[in-house]
Amino acid sequence: MKNAFLEKLKESLTSVLPVVVIVLVLSFTPLVDLTGYEIGVFCFSSFLLILGMGLFSLGACVMSQGVDKILMDAFGIVAMVAMTPLITIQLLGFRSVMERQLKSRIAQRKIISAEDDQIINFM
């Protein structure tokens, strides 16, 4: 089990490390203005992400295959963890657009309604 956990940590590390390197390289260019505190928080959260992805993929593989047959490739789990924030942001954006359209339709109905006593000044 210890070897399987180390294998999962290694997979997580190889998937997260390129992004960490890119962010750290960009943080020393004039394109991005990051303080030392922000860089430290980013590195610590990257470490926790690697550890969490390793534990999550190990648990998912153990539950699906059993203790004796742990999957050696957890790319799908790594992809799921990487895509979850993007999908969440897209869903929140979709909700915002739909809310705005609904409010616009309600406002249009109020303007068009016959019993509306509002005076609209277009100037």
Side-chain angles (χ1 to χ4, degrees):
M1 189 70 133
K2 182 179 179 182
N3 291 335
F5 177 65
L6 292 176
E7 181 69 28
K8 297 302 173 190
L9 278 180
K10 187 176 167 185
E11 288 175 6
S12 301
L13 182 67
T14 57
S15 63
V16 173
L17 195 61
V19 176
V20 172
V21 170
I22 290 170
V23 169
L24 289 179
V25 167
L26 284 176
S27 70
F28 293 111
T29 64
L31 297 173
V32 181
D33 186 26
L34 294 177
T35 64
Y37 176 76
E38 291 168 337
I39 293 172
V41 168
F42 174 76
C43 290
F44 182 70
S45 64
S46 299
F47 167 73
L48 291 178
L49 176 66
I50 292 168
L51 185 64
M53 281 176 45
L55 290 171
F56 180 75
S57 63
L58 178 68
C61 292
V62 166
M63 289 306 294
S64 66
Q65 296 293 319
V67 178
D68 297 333
K69 298 179 183 178
I70 297 176
L71 295 173
M72 287 300 141
D73 183 30
F75 181 74
I77 295 172
V78 172
M80 182 193 69
V81 170
M83 291 300 291
T84 300
L86 299 173
I87 293 169
T88 304
I89 289 171
Q90 288 175 347
L91 288 174
L92 288 173
F94 179 73
R95 178 178 167 235
S96 173
V97 167
M98 295 307 289
E99 228 175 65
R100 189 178 313 136
Q101 287 180 355
L102 181 66
K103 287 181 181 178
S104 174
R105 287 182 187 163
I106 291 171
Q108 286 295 328
R109 282 190 206 136
K110 284 184 179 179
I111 291 173
I112 294 173
S113 70
E115 61 257 0
D116 185 23
D117 295 336
Q118 294 180 11
I119 299 174
I120 301 173
N121 186 3
F122 291 104
M123 300 298 258

